Amino acid sequence: MEEIISLCKRRGFIYQGSEIYGGLAGTWDYGPLGVELKRRVMGAWWEFWVESRDDMYGVDTAIIMNPRTWVASGHAATFSDPLIECKNCHARFRADKIDMENNCPNCGKKDWSDVKQFNMMFETIVGPIKDDKSVAYLRPETAQGIFTNFKNIIDSFYPDLPFGICQQGKAFRNEISPRDFVFRSREFEQMEIEYFVNPDNWETEFDKLLAQIHEFLDLVGIDKTKIHELEVPATECAHYSKRTIDIEFDFLIGREELLGLAYRTDFDLKNIERESGKSMEYRPKDGTAPFVPHVIEPSFGVERLIMAILTTVYTKDGDRVYLKFPKNLAPVRYLVSPLLKNKPELISKAREVYKGLRKRGERVMWDDSGNIGKRYAKADEIGIPECIVIDFETLEDDTVTVRDRDTTEQVRVKIGEL
Ligand code: GAP
């Protein structure tokens, strides 16, 4: 894990948030390669779940919502973790993640406070006056932006059941102890689907979505042997869920939740009806009686997907370290390099190839630093699938060397066939 974190920082994938001021716990900044990877993962998700289907509707809703949202959803009352404090050193911990029979891991004394429930929503003030009425929250899940737009989507599109509403975006949780790199952050990105179904069919639709989740994980190249389904016992399901399957992954920090699939019943729409006084009923086109649909929710966390992908692709082969990204996810697709950096004719030919690929919309990087061996090593570390080298032969026959990241094999290819 340390090696991956260090590579991520050194090579411009992920930096600690506000590092220059000593950091801010639980926040992370994506560098040029990290943001490209993240956008590609999110793009693959959008294409798979939204663009390639005709039963899904995309939305992008506000992060700050009317606080009644969180009363209706139950978050105001129940979105909390148990907190304990060491009375000696004032370090705070999640009571469910620590053995209170033991001494404080921070100072070694044993003087625990009582357990208190700590609400994880971040508060903010809307408008210029700070009073009880101006308090609002940064959303702790993207899901509620979807539920509160259910009626809008019905009115605008009148879709057939089952159909889904999808959203990608930031979520915020004031985690008591953010930890394990980006795994538990205070600001992170979710990709959620609320899939509205006839309650009679929820089991079939649940199984279909579960199979599609596995298909998606395969598409982004996540190691199948490290993926496990955990049927969450009814007593441990979230307050809104009647059945939950956690998709777990063997991270380097241990087996942990990657994403969740929950049967949320009509919990959310019924709560919105109560809080807003507006009907959330769906009117079937065949004239049968209106009803409030039930919901199945696949909920993905982008940071955890990125961690699972990095764990899958990080490869060591003797002294060689490389990231074996699938081609569709690699932040950089090609490296273009002149064999020698002090030969203007090689540089200008290499520039031509570089610009040609750029023009075609490829993700391409230029490198003429150090020697070719070092350039390959750098390219491997950031997971570039192919390195194109322009040498003296190129000037004669318009062919270049293409080196494969995984096999290190080199072949000669005509520029026109790249
Ligand atoms: N709408 C349902 C929901 O939010 P959740 O299990 O609390 O369910 C869904 O969160 C997913 O969001 C998790 O499976 C995980 O991938 C991601 N996630 C949750 N908390 C996170 C955190 N503090 N840091 C990074 N990702 C997180």
Side-chain angles (χ1 to χ4, degrees), residues 35 40 53 69 75 90 97 108 111 149 185 214-215 240 242 245 265 272 335 402 406 412:
V35 71
R40 301 202 76 74
R53 302 174 58 134
T69 308
H75 285 79
H90 301 291
K97 298 275 176 198
D111 191 5
N149 277 286
S185 308
H214 285 290
E215 219 182 294
Y240 49 72
K242 262 219 174 131
I245 289 187
T265 66
I272 292 174
L335 183 84
V402 178
D406 303 341
R412 287 214 70 93

Side-chain angles (χ1 to χ4, degrees), residues 114-134:
D114 292 337
V115 176
K116 280 185 260 176
Q117 287 300 319
F118 169 76
N119 193 296
M120 291 196 289
M121 287 199 291
F122 275 102
E123 270 185 27
T124 190
I125 301 297
V126 177
I129 296 164
K130 194 172 174 180
D131 60 18
D132 285 354
K133 283 192 213 118
S134 60

